[in-house]
Amino acid sequence: MQTWKQIRDREDGKLPSRTFANRIKSNRISDLQLSNHKEIVSSHKGSINSLQIDFSERRYLLSAASDSSVAVYDIQRATNYEGGGVISKHSSLFVVDKQHESGHKYAVSSAIWYPIDTGLFITASYDHHINVWDTNTTKVVVNFKMPGKVYKTAMSTLATSHMLIAAGTEDVQVRLCDIASGAFAHTLSGHRADGVMNVEWSTSSEWVLITGGCDGAIRFWDIRRAGCFRLLDQSRTQLGRRPPILKHSAITKDSSTKLRTAQKKHANGGGSKQLPIGRVPSKGPMKQRLHPGMLSTQDRATAHYGAVTGLKVTEDGMYLLSTGSDSRLRLWDVESSCDTLVNYETVRLQTSKPIQLATAQDSALVFVPCMRTVKAFDMWSGNTYTTLGGHYECVNACWFNQQDQELYTGGNDRQILVWSPSRSIADQMDEGANEDQDNWSS
Amino acid sequence: MMEMEEEEVGRRNETRKVIALIERATNSTVPEVDHLLLKAIKTVVRYSDFELRLAAETLMDLMQRDHSQVRYLALQIIDELFMRSKLFRTILIENLDQLLSLSVGFRRNLPLPAPPAVASVLRSKAIEFLEKWNVSFGVHYRQLRLGYDYLKNTLRLQFPNMQANALRIQQERRERERRSKEILLSKYEHLKENLSSIKGGLLSTLNEIDECLDILHLKQELESEDVLDDEEIAEFCSLELQQIRLDAMKEGEKVYESSDNKVVFDVLRELYKLLVTKHLVSIQEWISVLVRVEVPDNRFRDSTLKKFIDIRNRLTSVKIKCEEAGCTLQNTSKLDEEEDFWEEGNAVSIENSSGVPNKKNKHSDMPSTSRKVSNDNLGLLNKESNGSDTDNVVRERKEVKSNPLKSKLIAEAPVVRWGSYLDSWGSNRVFMANQRGLELESHWGRVDDEAIIPADKIAELNVLATPYEEKQIEIQPCRAPLRRGGLCQRRDRKLCPFHGPIIPREDEGRPINQSPSEEMNIDSRTDLVEQLAKQAVKNVRDRDIDMAKKREIDKKSLKRAKLAKVREHNEAVLRDAALASTSGSATIGEDNEDKLSAREQKKSLASMLRKKVTSKDRISQKLLSSHARDNTVRLNDSWDDVKYREAFPNQW
């Protein structure tokens, strides 16, 4: 009923078509469940470490697994059908594994598409190598030798002026590998211990790189300059969401004071600095002066106790989600570099491996692998929206496909599961003769 | 308002009902869920979704119990509902991984709980169920496929593979059918080729039989015409008489074997045998082949089938005719055997019931052989048992026949062992002490030749020493019912160490209740037995050939009687004791039952968890107790001390 009314509203022009589409999409997202009609036949023999769908066609799923294999699946067209055409099975288009002449020796920790097209993909492995592959010939085009195990690689989707692969490795330095030249363009040093688990490019600036290290620090780097320019400190907090710029002027003193008092209640003592909400922290002269080196006291701030295992920037680039081995999920305001104190009801997170988070459209939901399940949290309230349980072992990676509103998850049980909105009733009607029905003996 | 409340109350009651039902069904030690309870659960759940949800919840709770038996029974109920209700499936599928980890126990940190035997059964059953579910509903539930795939391909658990097995069996059956069809077809082809010869053989036999019968009937008619006159018919005036006469005539029409038609009968019998044992069977076989075979061209088959059925009908009719004429197969075969037995290598013509002269011959033969055999047997028996007595016995028999008094005396005489004392049995003679035929006169001095040993002294000396012989009492087994089934086979005199006093029991081991009337019965029975025994003795004396045997029987019956008496006595004593010890009402049987029921009760879910105390445990308990250990340590220390002192005697 609601849908018909909305359609009429859209026809009448009461409802902007974009809003209409968003509503439909969020409706669909709201009832994600394990898809019965779409199945990915995993060709991996080890745990799935990373999943990514290409950005140009949003059709090819790239997966990397611990058995040093990388596979590509076509998620639009099924390779074969089962159960009377009800279940579509998607087998891999090709697999690159140990047998391949230049395949990785050890587990592949990360595999990403070249952001511009599907002609290239980049794999990073525990065998200290980053390979750049030509998709069509499945041959290595460029090869980077890293100083240690590579945990994570990332390429900027915005970049127009560089082709850099940011790589987080066992080494404390983050390296930027230039595909064009085949050399390390930059080495970013600042993390202290045990390497860098996660790297992520900002979605608002092509020069900004965010890294999460095993020392619990999240650092922001401007790749044009030396040193990190921002360090997230878990003791710097702000309550809730920063109001949009437009409404900034409308905030009265009253409300701001109210908020401040509320803030004080929540603030934990111990010299934690409180920034008033609504005030964009201006880069003061002291900050400016501090930048390249920063004060050593400030330089020791941590975002998590233990290692930072997951990073995800929201679509608009204003917020950053991070998970740590302290089983916390934090939402950071990038601009103010404060923890927004949203309490996500995570129970326990995997600590030993980097995990891959995903956000739904308009950053309404965040999907976090919580051990054997994937939890969907409301990003702003932190409430658990749904718990998607289907994996039999720990989940490592999830990827949300904006186009089909489908979620792909991969875990240690070497399965890639598809979570899709429940099908319409009409679809279910023509499921075939052997319907699922009650079967009571009379 | 009221109605709603009532509904609420009703619902609450109902809820209690389904939960209680499930609780009751799972609180049991038997390996199967009670059928009736299961049915009740199903009916309750069927008509109410609310109940179903509740049941699913309860069952999942039960699956988390720390007891494999509870989980096992719960799993069985889950399977029942899973196969039936869609709603139940959808509810359960949500937590399938949990259910699987609780039932299969594949997670290392969540192993299956205590009774390990039940746990292994639970695991295998769970795997079997999962496979079944996957086959039936896998298409509709991704989770099922996923779980199945995970257990099978990732954990590599062994699935029973029912479907594949069924397929294979079906394949095998199809193969078998195909082969049998081929065989049928080849037979059919064979028939097609040899039809004329087969038919020829059959028909020739038929014709021969017909001819034989014709000959017989011809002869008969000739004879019967002589016997029956028209005049005689007039005499049978009344209806009954007429009937009788008709019967007689019919009887008369029957052909009997006689010396002149014996040859014909022999041939007929031969042919009949052939007909029954060979032709009828073969034609039946051919018909079945024709019926079962599948050929594109049906014409030949149908026509042949028709022909064969005709032939079969003819065969059966001929067979009946033959039987009327007096041929029977079983008889012949039996007699054949007998003949083989008595007269070797004598292939004599087939016997039949009407063959009177032959039979007579046989009878004259038989007694002689049989007597011989029996004599032989007897002789053997006698030789085996007591060869020396036989002559005696035979002689006695002869005498007995002449002298009734003696027989009477013998009946009264006691049976004693043989010995030298029998020489002077009943004599009153005195013995001369010094007249032994040895000439030793005056060797040592004067000898009194007249010295005698008086008769009473002799008797005293000759008193038969009989060592006490224990009567061989057959010790009865205890026969108390065992828990594992079967009866206790321990043989003790009075008291079984496990089952108490030995009492007469039924075949199933229940004690036979002794009431006074029963005792009376026993008394009378023993009396009767004694009487019988006496009677038997008399009979024995009369028929002295079987004497030895009979005596044995006699002894046995006496023994039995005595045993019964002893037992009766024992029981009386025991009963008295029981009555004295308990307050009075409890009898032995009840006591026993109480114990049994207590044991039953003890076998609960908790008892399944209890570890059995083995002898090893007991030994370890003894050896590893702190006391024993201390003692050992002290002993060792003192030994060390002694050694040390011996080694270094100069050090104190």
Side-chain angles (χ1 to χ4, degrees), chain A residues 36 39 372 390 392-393 414-415 434 436-439 441, chain B residues 84 86 89 107 139-142 145-147 149-150:
Chain A
N36 189 39
E39 209 171 285
R372 287 199 291 269
Y392 280 82
E393 277 165 41
R414 50 180 212 87
Q415 294 284 351
N434 49 352
D436 184 25
Q437 276 178 343
D438 275 9
N439 177 29
S441 54
Chain B
R84 284 177 170 71
K86 182 183 177 179
R89 281 196 285 276
R107 292 207 198 287
V139 181
H140 306 290
Y141 301 99
R142 173 81 173 110
R145 272 176 279 151
L146 207 60
D149 185 67
Y150 178 69

PDB file of all heavy atoms in Angstrom, chain A residues 36 39 372 390 392-393 414-415 434 436-439 441, chain B residues 84 86 89 107 139-142 145-147 149-150:
ATOM      1  N   ASN A  36      18.266 -16.872  -0.501  1.00  0.00           N
ATOM      2  CA  ASN A  36      18.075 -18.276  -0.868  1.00  0.00           C
ATOM      3  C   ASN A  36      18.231 -18.485  -2.363  1.00  0.00           C
ATOM      4  O   ASN A  36      18.426 -19.590  -2.828  1.00  0.00           O
ATOM      5  CB  ASN A  36      16.700 -18.737  -0.415  1.00  0.00           C
ATOM      6  CG  ASN A  36      16.549 -20.224  -0.587  1.00  0.00           C
ATOM      7  OD1 ASN A  36      17.489 -20.970  -0.337  1.00  0.00           O
ATOM      8  ND2 ASN A  36      15.383 -20.653  -1.022  1.00  0.00           N
ATOM      9  N   GLU A  39      23.631 -17.632  -4.792  1.00  0.00           N
ATOM     10  CA  GLU A  39      24.611 -18.398  -4.046  1.00  0.00           C
ATOM     11  C   GLU A  39      25.940 -18.258  -4.754  1.00  0.00           C
ATOM     12  O   GLU A  39      26.012 -18.420  -5.970  1.00  0.00           O
ATOM     13  CB  GLU A  39      24.174 -19.857  -4.052  1.00  0.00           C
ATOM     14  CG  GLU A  39      24.600 -20.645  -2.849  1.00  0.00           C
ATOM     15  CD  GLU A  39      23.943 -22.018  -2.845  1.00  0.00           C
ATOM     16  OE1 GLU A  39      22.741 -22.121  -2.552  1.00  0.00           O
ATOM     17  OE2 GLU A  39      24.650 -22.962  -3.164  1.00  0.00           O
ATOM     18  N   ARG A 372      31.064 -14.686  14.610  1.00  0.00           N
ATOM     19  CA  ARG A 372      30.414 -15.501  13.582  1.00  0.00           C
ATOM     20  C   ARG A 372      29.262 -14.776  12.895  1.00  0.00           C
ATOM     21  O   ARG A 372      28.696 -15.303  11.955  1.00  0.00           O
ATOM     22  CB  ARG A 372      29.890 -16.794  14.206  1.00  0.00           C
ATOM     23  CG  ARG A 372      30.999 -17.774  14.539  1.00  0.00           C
ATOM     24  CD  ARG A 372      30.419 -19.136  14.705  1.00  0.00           C
ATOM     25  NE  ARG A 372      29.593 -19.219  15.892  1.00  0.00           N
ATOM     26  CZ  ARG A 372      30.057 -19.593  17.085  1.00  0.00           C
ATOM     27  NH1 ARG A 372      31.299 -19.898  17.231  1.00  0.00           N
ATOM     28  NH2 ARG A 372      29.245 -19.658  18.111  1.00  0.00           N
ATOM     29  N   GLY A 390      24.901 -16.611   9.875  1.00  0.00           N
ATOM     30  CA  GLY A 390      24.835 -17.650   8.857  1.00  0.00           C
ATOM     31  C   GLY A 390      26.181 -18.334   8.710  1.00  0.00           C
ATOM     32  O   GLY A 390      26.251 -19.488   8.352  1.00  0.00           O
ATOM     33  N   TYR A 392      29.557 -20.139   9.857  1.00  0.00           N
ATOM     34  CA  TYR A 392      29.852 -21.105  10.903  1.00  0.00           C
ATOM     35  C   TYR A 392      31.167 -20.799  11.597  1.00  0.00           C
ATOM     36  O   TYR A 392      31.504 -21.398  12.589  1.00  0.00           O
ATOM     37  CB  TYR A 392      29.857 -22.517  10.335  1.00  0.00           C
ATOM     38  CG  TYR A 392      28.459 -23.045  10.188  1.00  0.00           C
ATOM     39  CD1 TYR A 392      27.689 -22.714   9.097  1.00  0.00           C
ATOM     40  CD2 TYR A 392      27.904 -23.817  11.194  1.00  0.00           C
ATOM     41  CE1 TYR A 392      26.403 -23.169   9.000  1.00  0.00           C
ATOM     42  CE2 TYR A 392      26.613 -24.274  11.106  1.00  0.00           C
ATOM     43  CZ  TYR A 392      25.865 -23.946   9.999  1.00  0.00           C
ATOM     44  OH  TYR A 392      24.574 -24.386   9.917  1.00  0.00           O
ATOM     45  N   GLU A 393      31.924 -19.883  11.027  1.00  0.00           N
ATOM     46  CA  GLU A 393      33.135 -19.448  11.722  1.00  0.00           C
ATOM     47  C   GLU A 393      33.238 -17.935  11.579  1.00  0.00           C
ATOM     48  O   GLU A 393      32.361 -17.297  11.011  1.00  0.00           O
ATOM     49  CB  GLU A 393      34.356 -20.162  11.141  1.00  0.00           C
ATOM     50  CG  GLU A 393      34.557 -21.542  11.750  1.00  0.00           C
ATOM     51  CD  GLU A 393      35.523 -22.387  10.951  1.00  0.00           C
ATOM     52  OE1 GLU A 393      36.542 -21.841  10.508  1.00  0.00           O
ATOM     53  OE2 GLU A 393      35.241 -23.574  10.754  1.00  0.00           O
ATOM     54  N   ARG A 414      35.226 -20.311   4.808  1.00  0.00           N
ATOM     55  CA  ARG A 414      35.502 -20.239   3.376  1.00  0.00           C
ATOM     56  C   ARG A 414      34.254 -20.070   2.516  1.00  0.00           C
ATOM     57  O   ARG A 414      34.240 -20.412   1.356  1.00  0.00           O
ATOM     58  CB  ARG A 414      36.330 -21.442   2.908  1.00  0.00           C
ATOM     59  CG  ARG A 414      35.761 -22.778   3.350  1.00  0.00           C
ATOM     60  CD  ARG A 414      36.579 -23.945   2.899  1.00  0.00           C
ATOM     61  NE  ARG A 414      35.707 -25.077   2.664  1.00  0.00           N
ATOM     62  CZ  ARG A 414      35.108 -25.293   1.515  1.00  0.00           C
ATOM     63  NH1 ARG A 414      35.311 -24.502   0.504  1.00  0.00           N
ATOM     64  NH2 ARG A 414      34.302 -26.312   1.376  1.00  0.00           N
ATOM     65  N   GLN A 415      33.222 -19.533   3.122  1.00  0.00           N
ATOM     66  CA  GLN A 415      32.005 -19.273   2.363  1.00  0.00           C
ATOM     67  C   GLN A 415      31.897 -17.784   2.065  1.00  0.00           C
ATOM     68  O   GLN A 415      32.322 -16.954   2.867  1.00  0.00           O
ATOM     69  CB  GLN A 415      30.767 -19.677   3.179  1.00  0.00           C
ATOM     70  CG  GLN A 415      30.638 -21.151   3.449  1.00  0.00           C
ATOM     71  CD  GLN A 415      30.178 -21.924   2.245  1.00  0.00           C
ATOM     72  OE1 GLN A 415      29.806 -21.335   1.246  1.00  0.00           O
ATOM     73  NE2 GLN A 415      30.202 -23.242   2.335  1.00  0.00           N
ATOM     74  N   ASN A 434       7.350 -27.888  -6.015  1.00  0.00           N
ATOM     75  CA  ASN A 434       7.625 -28.396  -4.669  1.00  0.00           C
ATOM     76  C   ASN A 434       7.745 -27.246  -3.692  1.00  0.00           C
ATOM     77  O   ASN A 434       8.827 -26.823  -3.305  1.00  0.00           O
ATOM     78  CB  ASN A 434       8.881 -29.268  -4.657  1.00  0.00           C
ATOM     79  CG  ASN A 434      10.036 -28.588  -5.360  1.00  0.00           C
ATOM     80  OD1 ASN A 434       9.844 -27.537  -5.975  1.00  0.00           O
ATOM     81  ND2 ASN A 434      11.215 -29.145  -5.237  1.00  0.00           N
ATOM     82  N   ASP A 436       7.304 -25.178  -0.182  1.00  0.00           N
ATOM     83  CA  ASP A 436       7.575 -25.491   1.212  1.00  0.00           C
ATOM     84  C   ASP A 436       6.297 -25.295   2.014  1.00  0.00           C
ATOM     85  O   ASP A 436       5.829 -24.178   2.183  1.00  0.00           O
ATOM     86  CB  ASP A 436       8.670 -24.533   1.695  1.00  0.00           C
ATOM     87  CG  ASP A 436       9.069 -24.852   3.108  1.00  0.00           C
ATOM     88  OD1 ASP A 436       8.880 -26.017   3.521  1.00  0.00           O
ATOM     89  OD2 ASP A 436       9.567 -23.951   3.786  1.00  0.00           O
ATOM     90  N   GLN A 437       5.731 -26.392   2.453  1.00  0.00           N
ATOM     91  CA  GLN A 437       4.442 -26.299   3.129  1.00  0.00           C
ATOM     92  C   GLN A 437       4.396 -27.185   4.355  1.00  0.00           C
ATOM     93  O   GLN A 437       5.233 -28.051   4.543  1.00  0.00           O
ATOM     94  CB  GLN A 437       3.321 -26.739   2.183  1.00  0.00           C
ATOM     95  CG  GLN A 437       2.875 -25.612   1.280  1.00  0.00           C
ATOM     96  CD  GLN A 437       1.807 -26.051   0.326  1.00  0.00           C
ATOM     97  OE1 GLN A 437       1.623 -27.248   0.114  1.00  0.00           O
ATOM     98  NE2 GLN A 437       1.110 -25.115  -0.237  1.00  0.00           N
ATOM     99  N   ASP A 438       3.355 -26.946   5.141  1.00  0.00           N
ATOM    100  CA  ASP A 438       3.128 -27.826   6.286  1.00  0.00           C
ATOM    101  C   ASP A 438       2.835 -29.230   5.804  1.00  0.00           C
ATOM    102  O   ASP A 438       2.259 -29.428   4.748  1.00  0.00           O
ATOM    103  CB  ASP A 438       1.934 -27.315   7.098  1.00  0.00           C
ATOM    104  CG  ASP A 438       2.371 -26.249   8.079  1.00  0.00           C
ATOM    105  OD1 ASP A 438       3.535 -25.829   7.981  1.00  0.00           O
ATOM    106  OD2 ASP A 438       1.556 -25.854   8.912  1.00  0.00           O
ATOM    107  N   ASN A 439       3.218 -30.159   6.607  1.00  0.00           N
ATOM    108  CA  ASN A 439       3.042 -31.548   6.192  1.00  0.00           C
ATOM    109  C   ASN A 439       2.637 -32.385   7.392  1.00  0.00           C
ATOM    110  O   ASN A 439       3.371 -33.224   7.867  1.00  0.00           O
ATOM    111  CB  ASN A 439       4.365 -32.051   5.600  1.00  0.00           C
ATOM    112  CG  ASN A 439       4.283 -33.489   5.215  1.00  0.00           C
ATOM    113  OD1 ASN A 439       3.211 -33.984   4.884  1.00  0.00           O
ATOM    114  ND2 ASN A 439       5.407 -34.174   5.292  1.00  0.00           N
ATOM    115  N   SER A 441       0.658 -35.159   9.349  1.00  0.00           N
ATOM    116  CA  SER A 441      -0.038 -36.423   9.060  1.00  0.00           C
ATOM    117  C   SER A 441      -1.456 -36.289   9.574  1.00  0.00           C
ATOM    118  O   SER A 441      -1.700 -35.774  10.650  1.00  0.00           O
ATOM    119  CB  SER A 441       0.666 -37.568   9.764  1.00  0.00           C
ATOM    120  OG  SER A 441       0.793 -37.283  11.137  1.00  0.00           O
TER     121      SER A 441
ATOM    122  N   ARG B  84       7.349 -31.465   9.634  1.00  0.00           N
ATOM    123  CA  ARG B  84       5.931 -31.221   9.426  1.00  0.00           C
ATOM    124  C   ARG B  84       5.550 -29.759   9.296  1.00  0.00           C
ATOM    125  O   ARG B  84       4.794 -29.401   8.410  1.00  0.00           O
ATOM    126  CB  ARG B  84       5.152 -31.871  10.563  1.00  0.00           C
ATOM    127  CG  ARG B  84       5.094 -33.364  10.368  1.00  0.00           C
ATOM    128  CD  ARG B  84       4.399 -34.068  11.477  1.00  0.00           C
ATOM    129  NE  ARG B  84       4.170 -35.449  11.103  1.00  0.00           N
ATOM    130  CZ  ARG B  84       5.110 -36.363  11.003  1.00  0.00           C
ATOM    131  NH1 ARG B  84       6.352 -36.037  11.235  1.00  0.00           N
ATOM    132  NH2 ARG B  84       4.826 -37.602  10.658  1.00  0.00           N
ATOM    133  N   LYS B  86       5.958 -25.767   8.684  1.00  0.00           N
ATOM    134  CA  LYS B  86       6.783 -24.770   8.005  1.00  0.00           C
ATOM    135  C   LYS B  86       7.235 -23.686   8.973  1.00  0.00           C
ATOM    136  O   LYS B  86       8.378 -23.260   8.957  1.00  0.00           O
ATOM    137  CB  LYS B  86       5.987 -24.150   6.871  1.00  0.00           C
ATOM    138  CG  LYS B  86       6.811 -23.150   6.090  1.00  0.00           C
ATOM    139  CD  LYS B  86       6.032 -22.487   5.015  1.00  0.00           C
ATOM    140  CE  LYS B  86       6.919 -21.446   4.331  1.00  0.00           C
ATOM    141  NZ  LYS B  86       6.250 -20.760   3.244  1.00  0.00           N
ATOM    142  N   ARG B  89      10.025 -24.776  10.994  1.00  0.00           N
ATOM    143  CA  ARG B  89      11.265 -24.746  10.213  1.00  0.00           C
ATOM    144  C   ARG B  89      11.857 -23.348  10.185  1.00  0.00           C
ATOM    145  O   ARG B  89      13.034 -23.153  10.450  1.00  0.00           O
ATOM    146  CB  ARG B  89      10.977 -25.212   8.787  1.00  0.00           C
ATOM    147  CG  ARG B  89      10.866 -26.705   8.639  1.00  0.00           C
ATOM    148  CD  ARG B  89      10.981 -27.093   7.185  1.00  0.00           C
ATOM    149  NE  ARG B  89       9.791 -26.810   6.402  1.00  0.00           N
ATOM    150  CZ  ARG B  89       8.739 -27.613   6.320  1.00  0.00           C
ATOM    151  NH1 ARG B  89       8.736 -28.735   7.001  1.00  0.00           N
ATOM    152  NH2 ARG B  89       7.698 -27.310   5.578  1.00  0.00           N
ATOM    153  N   ARG B 107      31.885 -27.717  17.571  1.00  0.00           N
ATOM    154  CA  ARG B 107      32.750 -26.653  18.087  1.00  0.00           C
ATOM    155  C   ARG B 107      33.597 -27.201  19.225  1.00  0.00           C
ATOM    156  O   ARG B 107      33.094 -27.895  20.103  1.00  0.00           O
ATOM    157  CB  ARG B 107      31.902 -25.502  18.597  1.00  0.00           C
ATOM    158  CG  ARG B 107      31.178 -24.788  17.478  1.00  0.00           C
ATOM    159  CD  ARG B 107      30.888 -23.356  17.818  1.00  0.00           C
ATOM    160  NE  ARG B 107      29.842 -22.835  16.938  1.00  0.00           N
ATOM    161  CZ  ARG B 107      30.017 -22.545  15.666  1.00  0.00           C
ATOM    162  NH1 ARG B 107      31.187 -22.746  15.112  1.00  0.00           N
ATOM    163  NH2 ARG B 107      29.014 -22.071  14.945  1.00  0.00           N
ATOM    164  N   VAL B 139      16.255 -26.899  -0.694  1.00  0.00           N
ATOM    165  CA  VAL B 139      15.977 -25.928  -1.755  1.00  0.00           C
ATOM    166  C   VAL B 139      15.414 -24.637  -1.174  1.00  0.00           C
ATOM    167  O   VAL B 139      15.676 -23.554  -1.680  1.00  0.00           O
ATOM    168  CB  VAL B 139      14.990 -26.539  -2.764  1.00  0.00           C
ATOM    169  CG1 VAL B 139      14.700 -25.570  -3.881  1.00  0.00           C
ATOM    170  CG2 VAL B 139      15.531 -27.839  -3.306  1.00  0.00           C
ATOM    171  N   HIS B 140      14.664 -24.770  -0.095  1.00  0.00           N
ATOM    172  CA  HIS B 140      13.981 -23.596   0.431  1.00  0.00           C
ATOM    173  C   HIS B 140      14.792 -22.839   1.469  1.00  0.00           C
ATOM    174  O   HIS B 140      14.484 -21.707   1.776  1.00  0.00           O
ATOM    175  CB  HIS B 140      12.647 -24.007   1.048  1.00  0.00           C
ATOM    176  CG  HIS B 140      11.793 -24.776   0.111  1.00  0.00           C
ATOM    177  ND1 HIS B 140      11.214 -24.198  -0.980  1.00  0.00           N
ATOM    178  CD2 HIS B 140      11.456 -26.076   0.065  1.00  0.00           C
ATOM    179  CE1 HIS B 140      10.527 -25.107  -1.648  1.00  0.00           C
ATOM    180  NE2 HIS B 140      10.663 -26.258  -1.041  1.00  0.00           N
ATOM    181  N   TYR B 141      15.771 -23.479   2.024  1.00  0.00           N
ATOM    182  CA  TYR B 141      16.506 -22.838   3.098  1.00  0.00           C
ATOM    183  C   TYR B 141      17.999 -22.874   2.802  1.00  0.00           C
ATOM    184  O   TYR B 141      18.620 -23.920   2.801  1.00  0.00           O
ATOM    185  CB  TYR B 141      16.212 -23.524   4.432  1.00  0.00           C
ATOM    186  CG  TYR B 141      14.754 -23.490   4.797  1.00  0.00           C
ATOM    187  CD1 TYR B 141      13.946 -24.589   4.572  1.00  0.00           C
ATOM    188  CD2 TYR B 141      14.181 -22.346   5.337  1.00  0.00           C
ATOM    189  CE1 TYR B 141      12.602 -24.558   4.881  1.00  0.00           C
ATOM    190  CE2 TYR B 141      12.843 -22.299   5.650  1.00  0.00           C
ATOM    191  CZ  TYR B 141      12.056 -23.410   5.424  1.00  0.00           C
ATOM    192  OH  TYR B 141      10.735 -23.369   5.715  1.00  0.00           O
ATOM    193  N   ARG B 142      18.526 -21.685   2.572  1.00  0.00           N
ATOM    194  CA  ARG B 142      19.953 -21.565   2.312  1.00  0.00           C
ATOM    195  C   ARG B 142      20.758 -22.023   3.523  1.00  0.00           C
ATOM    196  O   ARG B 142      21.802 -22.629   3.390  1.00  0.00           O
ATOM    197  CB  ARG B 142      20.273 -20.106   1.991  1.00  0.00           C
ATOM    198  CG  ARG B 142      21.739 -19.777   1.865  1.00  0.00           C
ATOM    199  CD  ARG B 142      22.265 -20.148   0.508  1.00  0.00           C
ATOM    200  NE  ARG B 142      23.641 -19.669   0.337  1.00  0.00           N
ATOM    201  CZ  ARG B 142      24.696 -20.456   0.295  1.00  0.00           C
ATOM    202  NH1 ARG B 142      24.522 -21.753   0.432  1.00  0.00           N
ATOM    203  NH2 ARG B 142      25.902 -19.972   0.106  1.00  0.00           N
ATOM    204  N   ARG B 145      21.382 -25.696   3.520  1.00  0.00           N
ATOM    205  CA  ARG B 145      22.422 -26.070   2.556  1.00  0.00           C
ATOM    206  C   ARG B 145      23.794 -25.700   3.104  1.00  0.00           C
ATOM    207  O   ARG B 145      24.756 -26.455   3.003  1.00  0.00           O
ATOM    208  CB  ARG B 145      22.186 -25.330   1.244  1.00  0.00           C
ATOM    209  CG  ARG B 145      21.258 -26.063   0.309  1.00  0.00           C
ATOM    210  CD  ARG B 145      20.992 -25.233  -0.912  1.00  0.00           C
ATOM    211  NE  ARG B 145      19.973 -24.230  -0.667  1.00  0.00           N
ATOM    212  CZ  ARG B 145      19.897 -23.059  -1.277  1.00  0.00           C
ATOM    213  NH1 ARG B 145      20.810 -22.728  -2.165  1.00  0.00           N
ATOM    214  NH2 ARG B 145      18.928 -22.223  -1.008  1.00  0.00           N
ATOM    215  N   LEU B 146      23.832 -24.516   3.713  1.00  0.00           N
ATOM    216  CA  LEU B 146      25.084 -24.011   4.239  1.00  0.00           C
ATOM    217  C   LEU B 146      25.611 -24.912   5.346  1.00  0.00           C
ATOM    218  O   LEU B 146      26.787 -25.287   5.342  1.00  0.00           O
ATOM    219  CB  LEU B 146      24.835 -22.611   4.795  1.00  0.00           C
ATOM    220  CG  LEU B 146      25.993 -21.661   4.819  1.00  0.00           C
ATOM    221  CD1 LEU B 146      26.493 -21.437   3.430  1.00  0.00           C
ATOM    222  CD2 LEU B 146      25.538 -20.355   5.436  1.00  0.00           C
ATOM    223  N   GLY B 147      24.729 -25.259   6.262  1.00  0.00           N
ATOM    224  CA  GLY B 147      25.138 -26.107   7.377  1.00  0.00           C
ATOM    225  C   GLY B 147      25.606 -27.458   6.886  1.00  0.00           C
ATOM    226  O   GLY B 147      26.647 -27.968   7.309  1.00  0.00           O
ATOM    227  N   ASP B 149      26.702 -28.193   3.933  1.00  0.00           N
ATOM    228  CA  ASP B 149      27.958 -28.016   3.197  1.00  0.00           C
ATOM    229  C   ASP B 149      29.124 -27.849   4.153  1.00  0.00           C
ATOM    230  O   ASP B 149      30.193 -28.419   3.952  1.00  0.00           O
ATOM    231  CB  ASP B 149      27.823 -26.799   2.286  1.00  0.00           C
ATOM    232  CG  ASP B 149      29.044 -26.634   1.409  1.00  0.00           C
ATOM    233  OD1 ASP B 149      29.251 -27.499   0.556  1.00  0.00           O
ATOM    234  OD2 ASP B 149      29.777 -25.658   1.598  1.00  0.00           O
ATOM    235  N   TYR B 150      28.881 -27.059   5.194  1.00  0.00           N
ATOM    236  CA  TYR B 150      29.965 -26.809   6.155  1.00  0.00           C
ATOM    237  C   TYR B 150      30.401 -28.097   6.826  1.00  0.00           C
ATOM    238  O   TYR B 150      31.582 -28.407   6.902  1.00  0.00           O
ATOM    239  CB  TYR B 150      29.507 -25.784   7.192  1.00  0.00           C
ATOM    240  CG  TYR B 150      30.536 -25.495   8.235  1.00  0.00           C
ATOM    241  CD1 TYR B 150      31.694 -24.814   7.909  1.00  0.00           C
ATOM    242  CD2 TYR B 150      30.366 -25.915   9.550  1.00  0.00           C
ATOM    243  CE1 TYR B 150      32.655 -24.554   8.858  1.00  0.00           C
ATOM    244  CE2 TYR B 150      31.326 -25.660  10.504  1.00  0.00           C
ATOM    245  CZ  TYR B 150      32.462 -24.977  10.156  1.00  0.00           C
ATOM    246  OH  TYR B 150      33.417 -24.723  11.094  1.00  0.00           O
TER     247      TYR B 150
END
